[in-house]
Amino acid sequence: MAEVVHMIDSEVFLAFSTYATIVVLKMMLMSLMTSYFRLTKQVFSNLEDTSLVKTTEDRKKLVRVDSDVERVRRCHLNDLENIVPFVVIGLLYALTGPDLSTALLHFRVFVGSRFIHTVAYVMALPQPTRGLAFGVGLFTTFSMAYRVLTTALFL
Amino acid sequence: MAEVVHMIDSEVFLAFSTYATIVVLKMMLMSLMTSYFRLTKQVFSNLEDTSLVKTTEDRKKLVRVDSDVERVRRCHLNDLENIVPFVVIGLLYALTGPDLSTALLHFRVFVGSRFIHTVAYVMALPQPTRGLAFGVGLFTTFSMAYRVLTTALFL
Amino acid sequence: MAEVVHMIDSEVFLAFSTYATIVVLKMMLMSLMTSYFRLTKQVFSNLEDTSLVKTTEDRKKLVRVDSDVERVRRCHLNDLENIVPFVVIGLLYALTGPDLSTALLHFRVFVGSRFIHTVAYVMALPQPTRGLAFGVGLFTTFSMAYRVLTTALFL
């Protein structure tokens, strides 16, 4: 990591910026998907939110739990648990000056695995589709962390 | 993003550092608010935590769910889902060298929207206050992502 | 933060990279621990996941909530709520050019506190072990945020 200043200007860093932005945007879409399901299925967490779809007095019944909404929310939380480590470790990895082709491979495999994970989760595809997508993403991040720790270790 | 090295020393980057720190500190205060409600209302998730307020044998009853605590926790999770994307995309955005005034507008609107969101959530203000605050924050982050992708795209 | 470009090449930045990677890897292990408990205790959130351990028709019973799994999940969420702020504020802190020894003290105390927090949470150690570990980590992050805001304030 001795020449990190030059690295931040590199194609690897541009590639990281691109893929990190794409996968974070994908994560943000889960918020919109949750809102969409809540409004169309009339399922809310807060009493004050029910006024968005109803004004009569039986609004309390709309504060409930729905399995489809919970599924999207679990998918969103899984994104947070996996995309945040990718962004942090991927940023440090990009600064270690890896080969462009190796870096692109890591970024593309990770982002691809998370798109597959989302489709598999939301559509409830048979396992082990979602499990494999999760595992591939995890392995990609571990691989980048290995390079960061072997290149930049300073305890 | 060709002159990113110069950008990291810029006023835009200082502004990003300031607003990112402020909004992350706001998010951390949700932890303290949860702890405060748990201790004062005697509502816990773990049996071992009940020893903090009680030593008698009816401690098991304190392991329960409370609507005020859950409200703060939902607000905290919503912060994670929205502030993390802002920090990631905002950092990359700051490195693309935007105008200082445009950047400040994005940072201020986002941070302001999250403070309004928190007040609206915790105090259960009537909708669409919270929904609008959420939407404005989301839009601000999308706007920064648009600049990152149009400036730094490298697939 | 005027000489931040030089800082990114420094030992402080290498130390940040190392400790941030270690503590993020620790957080990712919570995913694997959850999967391990789910598979060995046969407790799932999604019906399609039950096919991983059973093929007969009573699979629906495996979609349930288990207190050990929920404990690991609460620990994971607490990691997200605390490690994400550390990474964001720690990165900006590293760029303000602190003394190496002061920076190392912050990074080591934080990472140590999160390992103790995880052991205390998963093994349900008596309070206030976990509470103290949580508080020490929070205080360390606040201390770094104080330096960022006093060094780089630009509103």
Side-chain angles (χ1 to χ4, degrees), chain A residues 1-5 8 71 74 77-78 80-82 84-86 88-89 91-92 95 120-121 123-128 130 134 137-138 141-142 145-146 148-149 151-155, chain C residues 5-6 8-22 24-25 27-29 31-32 35 38 45-52 73 76-77 80 84 87 91 100 104 108:
Chain A
M1 205 177 273
E3 295 169 7
V4 69
V5 174
I8 210 174
R71 179 174 283 277
R74 284 196 299 275
L77 187 58
N78 195 282
L80 265 178
E81 292 169 357
N82 288 279
V84 168
F86 166 78
V88 173
I89 291 174
L91 172 70
L92 300 173
L95 296 179
Y121 215 145
M123 303 186 67
L125 298 187
Q127 287 279 20
R130 200 185 86 232
F134 165 77
L138 207 68
T141 308
F142 282 145
Y146 177 80
V148 172
L149 289 183
T151 313
L153 193 69
F154 191 99
L155 285 167
Chain C
V5 175
H6 311 295
I8 211 173
D9 240 346
S10 67
E11 290 183 320
V12 170
F13 197 81
L14 288 180
F16 170 74
S17 300
T18 303
Y19 285 98
T21 302
I22 289 171
V24 169
L25 286 175
M27 182 167 77
M28 294 172 75
L29 288 183
S31 287
L32 296 178
S35 302
R38 284 203 184 285
S45 301
N46 304 288
L47 183 58
E48 69 267 27
D49 301 353
T50 58
S51 67
L52 293 168
R73 283 168 47 79
H76 196 171
L77 187 58
L80 265 177
V84 167
V87 168
L91 173 69
L100 178 61
L104 279 172
R108 285 171 183 160

Side-chain angles (χ1 to χ4, degrees), chain C residues 52-153:
Chain C
L52 293 168
V53 295
K54 219 166 207 162
T55 50
T56 50
E57 71 275 11
D58 58 343
R59 284 166 40 194
K60 276 193 182 175
K61 290 180 189 165
L62 303 185
V63 179
R64 52 191 169 147
V65 170
D66 175 85
S67 65
D68 289 346
V69 171
E70 292 308 303
R71 179 174 283 276
V72 175
R73 283 168 47 79
R74 284 196 300 274
C75 182
H76 196 171
L77 187 58
N78 194 282
D79 267 359
L80 265 177
E81 292 170 357
N82 288 279
I83 291 175
V84 167
F86 166 77
V87 168
V88 173
I89 291 173
L91 173 69
L92 300 172
Y93 169 79
L95 296 179
T96 63
D99 285 341
L100 178 61
S101 57
T102 315
L104 279 172
L105 183 68
H106 280 87
F107 300 157
R108 285 171 183 160
V109 168
F110 180 84
V111 174
S113 78
R114 295 312 299 182
F115 273 94
I116 293 169
H117 180 272
T118 301
V119 172
Y121 214 147
V122 174
M123 301 185 68
L125 298 187
Q127 286 281 24
T129 311
R130 200 185 87 233
L132 283 178
F134 165 77
V136 168
L138 207 69
F139 181 79
T140 313
T141 308
F142 282 145
S143 168
M144 295 191 299
Y146 177 78
R147 177 170 167 101
V148 171
L149 289 183
T150 50
T151 313
L153 194 69

Side-chain angles (χ1 to χ4, degrees), chain A residues 73 77 80-81 84-85, chain B residues 21 23-35 38 45-46 69-84, chain C residues 23-24 26-28 30 72-89 110 113-114 117-118 121 130 133-135 137-139 141-142:
Chain A
R73 284 168 46 79
L77 187 58
L80 265 178
E81 292 169 357
V84 168
Chain B
T21 302
V23 80
V24 168
L25 286 175
K26 190 221 75 60
M27 183 167 77
M28 293 171 76
L29 288 183
M30 304 312 291
S31 287
L32 295 179
M33 202 185 290
T34 304
S35 302
R38 284 202 184 287
S45 301
N46 305 289
V69 172
E70 293 309 303
R71 179 175 283 276
V72 176
R73 284 167 47 77
R74 284 196 299 275
C75 182
H76 196 172
L77 187 58
N78 195 282
D79 266 359
L80 264 177
E81 292 169 357
N82 288 280
I83 291 175
V84 167
Chain C
V23 81
V24 169
K26 190 220 78 59
M27 182 167 77
M28 294 172 75
M30 303 312 291
V72 175
R73 283 168 47 79
R74 284 196 300 274
C75 182
H76 196 171
L77 187 58
N78 194 282
D79 267 359
L80 265 177
E81 292 170 357
N82 288 279
I83 291 175
V84 167
F86 166 77
V87 168
V88 173
I89 291 173
F110 180 84
S113 78
R114 295 312 299 182
H117 180 272
T118 301
Y121 214 147
R130 200 185 87 233
F134 165 77
L138 207 69
F139 181 79
T141 308
F142 282 145

Side-chain angles (χ1 to χ4, degrees), chain B residues 30-44:
Chain B
M30 304 312 291
S31 287
L32 295 179
M33 202 185 290
T34 304
S35 302
Y36 174 78
F37 274 112
R38 284 202 184 287
L39 290 169
T40 53
K41 301 193 77 174
Q42 307 208 342
V43 179
F44 298 96

Side-chain angles (χ1 to χ4, degrees), chain B residues 7 20 40 42 69 77 90 94 98-99 139 143 150:
Chain B
M7 296 310 156
T40 53
Q42 307 208 342
V69 172
L77 187 58
D99 284 343
F139 181 78
S143 169
T150 50

